[in-house]
Amino acid sequence: MKNIKVINRDMLKYMALILMGVGHMLSFTGIEHYKFLPRPIFLFVYYGQFFAPPVFFFFISEGFVYTRSRKNYAIRLGVIALITQIPYYLCEFTGEPVWTMLTNWNVMASLFAGLMVLIVWESKWKLAVRIIVMLLITAVTYLLTFEWMVFAPVAIFTMYILREKPIERLAAFFILMVIHQFICNGFSFYFSIGSARYLIAEMAAMLVITFFYNGEKGHFPTFSKWVFYVFYPVHFLAAYLINIFVFK
C-alpha cells in the first residue's frame, strides 16, 4: 500500500484550496453565469468544493499534534477567522444588518472551535470538566451559527482520537456525514441526488487522506501554511469584487 501514498501535505492542501476556491466562485458570483459550462464539468467544479472541509478538519487534527506552539496555532486561526468575517459577510449576507457578522461565522471559526476542543481535551483538567467545556464550545458553534456547526469540532475530535486507526477514522467520518445529511434533509433518510453528490465529494477527500496521503511535508511547508491562511479571506473578497465589477 505504501507505493500508492504519493500525495504529500502541500499537494493535499492545494487540491482542497483549488476545488474550494472554484466552487465558491460559482456559488458566490451566481451559478447562472456559468451555464456555458458542460454539465459534467459544472457538477464537478461545483460539488468539488465539498472536498475541502474534510481536508481542513484533518489538518487541524494533524496540526495540533505537530505544531510547535498550540497557543500560537490557536491565535493564528482565531485572527484569520475574525479577518475572514468581513469578506464572508459581504459575500453571504449583503444587505443584512452588520450585526449578522456576530451571529453567522465562517468555517475558520469552526476550525478554531475544533482546535480549542483538542486543547481542552489534552489539558490537565479533570475529565468531567474537560467534557463539559468541550460540549460548551461545540454548543457555541450552534448558537452562533458557525459553518459546519457542531459537526466541525466533532469531526476534528474524532479524527484526532482515531489518528492511528485510518480505516476506523474513515468509517467514523462516513457515519458523521450520513448523520449530517440526515439533519440537513430535515431529519429524513430521503437522500436526494444533491445529497449523494455532497457525500461523494466529502468521502472522496477522506479516501485520498486514508489511502494516498503519505504524511510528508511538501517542499515549501512554511509558504504553504501561509497560503492556506491568506487564501480563505482573499478568495471571498475576490468573489465580492467580481460581483461588483463584472456581474453588476
Side-chain angles (χ1 to χ4, degrees):
M1 291 291 286
K2 287 185 177 180
N3 61 335
I4 67 171
K5 291 184 176 292
V6 295
I7 297 178
N8 63 38
R9 190 182 308 170
D10 287 356
M11 293 166 63
L12 187 53
K13 283 184 178 179
Y14 288 127
M15 287 170 62
L17 288 177
I18 291 169
L19 288 169
M20 178 194 70
V22 174
H24 278 182
M25 283 297 169
L26 265 66
S27 298
F28 296 134
T29 59
I31 59 175
E32 67 274 10
H33 300 300
Y34 303 94
K35 292 181 179 178
F36 63 90
L37 289 173
R39 185 161 178 78
I41 294 176
F42 172 83
L43 291 174
F44 176 80
V45 296
Y46 179 78
Y47 286 98
Q49 64 185 290
F50 299 101
F51 180 94
V55 174
F56 295 165
F57 301 158
F58 172 71
F59 279 122
I60 293 298
S61 67
E62 286 275 287
F64 178 76
V65 174
Y66 296 111
T67 185
R68 295 177 183 177
S69 171
R70 292 171 179 174
K71 176 183 176 181
N72 290 341
Y73 190 19
I75 290 173
R76 285 196 301 271
L77 272 179
V79 169
I80 293 299
L82 290 172
I83 292 173
T84 301
Q85 270 304 93
I86 297 176
Y88 176 67
Y89 163 79
L90 292 173
C91 280
E92 286 272 35
F93 304 104
T94 301
E96 297 290 330
V98 175
W99 52 259
T100 303
M101 283 194 290
L102 301 178
T103 56
N104 292 271
W105 288 84
N106 65 83
V107 76
M108 281 292 181
S110 298
L111 301 183
F112 173 76
L115 179 61
M116 294 306 298
V117 163
L118 298 185
I119 289 173
V120 171
W121 176 250
E122 291 295 346
S123 71
K124 296 180 180 180
W125 297 345
K126 291 182 178 180
L127 179 60
V129 175
R130 282 184 284 157
I131 291 174
I132 290 171
V133 175
M134 290 164 65
L135 289 173
L136 288 174
I137 293 170
T138 303
V140 167
T141 70
Y142 175 77
L143 295 172
L144 294 183
T145 319
F146 286 28
E147 274 194 289
W148 286 89
M149 63 178 79
V150 178
F151 284 92
V154 171
I156 290 167
F157 180 72
T158 302
M159 289 179 177
Y160 175 72
I161 294 298
L162 298 176
R163 64 190 183 280
E164 302 296 336
K165 300 178 179 180
I167 301 302
E168 288 87 342
R169 180 184 63 201
L170 177 66
F173 188 80
F174 175 75
I175 292 170
L176 276 176
M177 291 304 97
V178 169
I179 294 171
H180 180 259
Q181 289 297 328
F182 170 72
I183 294 173
C184 289
N185 287 327
F187 294 90
S188 169
F189 279 114
Y190 169 75
F191 274 58
S192 64
I193 294 176
S195 298
R197 289 167 180 160
Y198 290 129
L199 190 59
I200 289 169
E202 291 157 358
M203 293 312 300
M206 287 305 298
L207 288 171
V208 170
I209 290 168
T210 303
F211 296 108
F212 300 99
Y213 174 60
N214 58 24
E216 297 176 3
K217 296 179 180 179
H219 296 295
F220 308 102
T222 302
F223 174 78
S224 297
K225 177 180 73 175
W226 287 106
V227 166
F228 171 75
Y229 289 127
V230 172
F231 183 89
Y232 204 73
V234 167
H235 91 284
F236 277 119
L237 182 60
Y240 175 70
L241 293 176
I242 288 172
N243 266 333
I244 290 179
F245 296 109
V246 178
F247 294 131
K248 287 187 179 179

